[in-house]
Amino acid sequence: MSKPLEAKPARIRTLEEYHAAYRQATEDPDAYWGAAAEAFTWRKKWDTVRGGEFSPAGTSTWYAGGLLNITENCLDRHLAQRGNKLALIYEPNDPHTRHLRLTYRELYQQVCQFANVLKNNGVQKGDRVLLYLPMMPQLAVAMLACARIGAIHSVVFAGFSATAIADRVQDAGATVVITADGLNRGPKQIPVKSVVDEALLSCPDVRRVIVLNHLDWPTHMREGRDVWYHEEVEGVEKTCPAEALAAEDPLFILYTSGSTGKPKGVVHTQAGYMVWADYTFRNVFQIEENDVHWCTADLGWVTGHTYCLYGPLLAGATSLLFEGVPTYPDAGRFWEVIDKHQVTTFYTAPTAIRSLMAAPLDHVLSYSLSSLRVLGSVGEPINEEAWHWYDLHIGKGRCPIVDTWWQTETGGIMISALADVTPSVPARAGLPLPGVLPVLLAQDGTEIEGNDQEGYLAIKASWPGVIRTTWGDHERARQTYFAPYPGYYFTGDGARRDENGLFRIIGRVDDVINVSGHRFGTAEIENALNQNEHVVESAVVGYPHDVKGQGIYAYIICQHGVPATEAERKMFEASIIETVVAEIGKIAKPDKIQLVSGLPKTRSGKIMRRILRKVAEGETTNLGDVTTLLDPAVVDEILAGKK
Ligand code: WTA
């Protein structure tokens, strides 16, 4: 066995240590999190560990007064001992294309060069830089380059549409965009730069687009605005001094969906996020020096930010980035990659597991998977069947599974087993990490005591990774997270504390749908649908989906009523799907569309979603009280036309 990564005060190795750490972090958080931060490189140490007002103001601060740069902690700090250790392994979409490996020293040099290119292009501390890129090493490099000079990165998953990009550019006030010519996803090649071009038609403030050459595609470059990275980087210095940033300076903005309005820009800051990413990564996965960690998330999501990039690099570990998809060229791709790069800690989403379970087992049995040590799950509840398949066929019954519950807003893992240290039970996220004080609330906001209880999941005290604000609109953050139940951070999830005190996450209690681990607001999809000229009104609900966890079910009132012919219906549906793809992206395509002549509304005009949800779930008999409906006959029509 290799030795654990450098002993820091807050590394937990036994159940007793967990309980002791939990107690200390609860009773004396300042001492505990002060000690956890000692091992990092600071330009200036903090004045106060915790500050601000957690709730209802939602103005937490961590390590205020401190000065630092997260890239010095991800890179420079490791050079002496780990300069020649692999920082990143990049496995491309196509197994026949050569993979790439970057040592800590090489990554350091590339980040410095990219940072210098940004500076040469006028990017300054505090500027917002939007990244719309495929999973390629330069995406990781570009994120770190922004952080090196104090620019705020906002990565947008390269499956979002031009409209979605434009919304985010405008909301963040981004002036520089980094993108690539195109991307590979499974058997498909997708243009990327042209999507950006379309988005920027409505973003006049973007003055520079830096383009990476990924596929050697002929690409339109707009004179005066667009530059090729490979031309800009020629002859550029491989060192770049890191900007000393205040602990509470923003590090990144990441857009995520809520129950109302447009996606909001979740803001994380320098020091608290750094400590939380490092601490949760090392403890949950029990990381050791020789680990090769593979988090299959795209860097465009928070899981990619914290567990492909920042967590592993802060810990000095080796992180594998994968460009492809689980099923290309076949359903054995994940397992092939694990054997090829001797992956030890593997972190993926239940939706991927469920899609691979459906393939013949031969795809798994062709590989040894003997390098694996820890398996992780994230993004949505993992059902027991998927848990057992993962345990038996991938972990071969010898790898602990960590089912990690957290959110974009929490910065890192909040409730999870620590591998082989705290209990791992199917369909339970488990115990909270030290510093996390979860409670179950009743609807009226009172705390539900005891085990074997269910309620709204809320967090009672600040932790280093807590969301600091929503970009440009603190009141929105306050109203969404910190004001609904004063004194708590409200998660939007429902949970059960089982008879042993382990948490089971039930799912969202708000109007957010979790599709393949990606969040969408029902209102957000409805707004998109309503852009279609044929759509008068729409209502979107989630329903259980075998692979995606939840699917998107859209009820739509068309302008000319319910189409008379099958051909007409197909045409409407195709046009409606096209609108959603244009407004949000392919990932938000409704799975089912039902064209209706009316929606079940109360006399005051409120849509009764409860009924729509039940019908979508396949419940047809027990719809509850429908007498308050304006027109109860609508329900019969909806039932008759159910998809
Ligand atoms: C859900 C992803 C059950 C939950 C890190 C949460 C989970 C939302 C789990 C956040 C889990 C995440 N078990 N549900 N292990 N992990 N969720 O912001 O509903 O993309 O509120 O962050 O995903 O999604 P987000």
Side-chain angles (χ1 to χ4, degrees):
M1 212 165 93
S2 64
K3 70 176 183 349
L5 285 176
E6 76 200 33
K8 290 179 186 170
R11 175 68 192 262
I12 298 160
R13 289 195 190 79
T14 63
L15 191 58
E16 294 68 47
E17 282 178 15
Y18 163 78
H19 287 302
Y22 195 84
R23 210 173 313 115
Q24 202 200 344
T26 306
E27 287 166 7
D28 192 353
D30 287 358
Y32 190 80
W33 294 112
E38 286 291 344
F40 294 94
T41 301
W42 296 85
R43 295 288 184 85
K44 176 183 169 289
K45 284 265 172 80
W46 56 92
D47 299 326
T48 21
V49 175
R50 268 176 328 147
E53 181 187 308
F54 174 54
S55 165
T59 54
S60 285
T61 63
W62 283 86
Y63 309 106
L67 289 175
L68 75 160
N69 188 290
I70 195 168
T71 70
E72 283 189 333
N73 286 288
C74 288
L75 300 169
D76 311 43
R77 185 167 56 115
H78 300 308
L79 290 183
Q81 278 181 19
R82 302 192 179 96
N84 296 324
K85 177 176 174 174
L86 288 183
L88 297 179
I89 300 172
Y90 168 66
E91 176 65 30
N93 180 61
D94 182 345
H96 305 297
T97 312
R98 242 194 96 63
H99 64 268
L100 191 106
R101 293 153 172 261
L102 287 179
T103 63
Y104 270 90
R105 180 158 295 104
E106 288 164 337
L107 181 62
Y108 163 83
Q109 290 174 346
Q110 291 206 9
V111 168
C112 286
Q113 276 195 310
F114 210 126
N116 285 325
V117 168
L118 292 177
K119 283 209 268 192
N120 294 343
N121 279 279
V123 181
Q124 293 180 355
K125 176 180 162 182
D127 286 352
R128 274 80 63 207
V129 178
L130 185 129
L131 284 71
Y132 187 76
L133 285 163
M135 274 296 269
M136 57 196 283
Q138 288 89 343
L139 170 51
V141 172
M143 290 166 76
L144 295 168
C146 289
R148 186 100 184 151
I149 63 171
I152 303 166
H153 59 72
S154 185
V155 185
V156 176
F157 172 65
F160 279 108
S161 69
T163 309
I165 299 172
D167 285 347
R168 287 156 176 75
V169 165
Q170 289 164 4
D171 187 81
T175 48
V176 172
V177 173
I178 305 175
T179 188
D181 47 356
L183 68 82
N184 300 299
R185 188 165 290 144
K188 289 179 266 182
Q189 294 203 315
I190 301 165
V192 173
K193 171 68 164 52
S194 58
V195 183
V196 169
D197 285 341
E198 190 191 333
L200 297 190
L201 291 174
S202 52
C203 305
D205 293 342
V206 171
R207 50 172 189 77
R208 185 65 82 232
V209 178
I210 301 175
V211 188
L212 292 155
N213 179 9
H214 188 46
L215 300 183
D216 263 335
W217 275 3
T219 300
H220 170 74
M221 300 290 279
R222 195 171 120 177
E223 188 69 41
R225 187 194 68 183
D226 304 351
V227 294
W228 282 108
Y229 180 74
H230 61 265
E231 291 175 4
E232 294 295 299
V233 78
E234 250 174 65
V236 165
E237 281 281 319
K238 289 182 181 166
T239 56
C240 173
E243 187 80 28
L245 300 167
E248 287 297 340
D249 279 342
L251 171 64
F252 65 84
I253 307 172
L254 193 55
Y255 284 84
T256 189
S257 300
S259 51
T260 54
K262 293 211 166 186
K264 44 188 173 282
V266 171
V267 175
H268 284 290
T269 55
Q270 308 286 334
Y273 175 80
M274 172 179 79
V275 170
W276 197 239
D278 172 80
Y279 178 89
T280 56
F281 175 69
R282 282 185 300 109
N283 281 302
V284 169
F285 296 98
Q286 291 289 301
I287 290 296
E288 295 166 5
E289 189 67 59
N290 294 336
D291 273 323
V292 174
H293 175 72
W294 182 16
C295 165
T296 67
D298 190 286
L299 280 163
W301 309 109
V302 75
T303 307
H305 279 54
T306 309
Y307 300 108
C308 288
L309 188 68
Y310 286 113
L313 295 182
L314 287 164
T318 300
S319 175
L320 187 139
L321 302 180
F322 177 51
E323 183 189 23
V325 296
T327 47
Y328 176 80
D330 60 46
R333 183 67 166 131
F334 269 8
W335 323 130
E336 182 212 344
V337 173
I338 288 173
D339 273 7
K340 178 173 174 186
H341 297 291
Q342 294 291 291
V343 170
T344 57
T345 54
F346 178 65
Y347 192 30
T348 196
T351 187
I353 299 168
R354 286 191 298 262
S355 76
L356 297 173
M357 268 167 75
L361 200 56
D362 285 356
H363 286 298
V364 179
L365 298 177
S366 315
Y367 301 99
S368 112
L369 303 181
S370 58
S371 57
L372 286 173
R373 196 173 62 70
V374 177
L375 300 178
S377 172
V378 61
E380 42 168 332
I382 178 165
N383 47 312
E384 294 211 14
E385 199 192 346
W387 196 100
H388 287 298
W389 187 87
Y390 199 27
D391 178 39
L392 184 65
H393 296 295
I394 307 307
K396 314 290 183 197
R398 53 171 188 80
C399 300
I401 294 182
V402 293
D403 175 5
T404 64
W405 173 83
W406 60 296
Q407 309 176 299
T408 305
E409 295 86 342
T410 70
I413 296 167
M414 300 286 280
I415 302 180
S416 167
L418 311 182
D420 261 346
V421 172
T422 59
S424 171
V425 174
R428 307 279 189 285
L431 295 173
L433 265 68
V436 177
L437 274 59
V439 295
L440 299 176
L441 298 180
Q443 211 147 13
D444 66 4
T446 52
E447 277 185 34
I448 301 170
E449 306 283 339
N451 288 344
D452 217 358
Q453 298 285 351
E454 214 168 290
Y456 293 158
L457 181 63
I459 313 290
K460 204 176 177 164
S462 189
W463 67 98
V466 65
I467 175 178
R468 296 307 198 271
T469 190
T470 41
W471 182 259
D473 188 358
H474 185 72
E475 185 55 18
R476 191 167 176 201
R478 205 183 70 79
Q479 291 289 351
T480 311
Y481 307 108
F482 300 101
Y485 298 102
Y488 304 93
Y489 164 85
F490 178 54
T491 65
D493 279 322
R496 179 169 195 87
R497 198 165 37 221
D498 76 5
E499 57 287 3
N500 300 314
L502 304 184
F503 283 87
R504 182 165 84 78
I505 309 300
I506 296 164
R508 302 291 304 194
V509 293
D510 53 7
D511 288 321
V512 169
I513 318 183
N514 191 329
V515 186
S516 299
H518 301 148
R519 281 161 63 171
F520 296 102
T522 52
E524 181 190 359
I525 302 174
E526 288 162 8
N527 287 340
L529 289 165
N530 297 346
Q531 300 300 313
N532 185 291
E533 52 177 355
H534 305 298
V535 173
V536 177
E537 197 179 358
S538 61
V540 166
V541 297
Y543 72 97
H545 187 288
D546 283 350
V547 173
K548 298 178 173 185
Q550 278 191 298
I552 300 172
Y553 196 119
Y555 296 91
I556 289 173
I557 306 179
C558 271
Q559 209 163 28
H560 309 291
V562 180
T565 66
E566 184 61 14
E568 229 187 346
R569 187 181 62 78
K570 283 211 167 121
M571 192 202 71
F572 276 139
E573 288 190 9
S575 146
I576 286 164
I577 286 179
E578 212 175 288
T579 306
V580 177
V581 171
E583 289 292 316
I584 306 176
K586 278 209 181 89
I587 45 177
K589 257 193 332 205
D591 298 277
K592 293 186 182 178
I593 294 177
Q594 184 178 347
L595 304 178
V596 295
S597 64
L599 291 166
K601 287 189 181 169
T602 61
R603 289 191 180 83
S604 56
K606 229 171 110 62
I607 297 176
M608 278 180 94
R609 288 173 184 278
R610 174 175 58 81
I611 294 178
L612 296 177
R613 240 178 261 129
K614 285 206 162 169
V615 174
E617 283 165 10
E619 170 87 62
T620 50
T621 46
N622 190 14
L623 295 181
D625 184 12
V626 294
T627 52
T628 54
L629 286 180
L630 189 61
D631 178 10
V634 163
V635 177
D636 296 328
E637 182 209 310
I638 288 178
L639 276 172
K642 180 185 161 5
K643 285 294 176 106

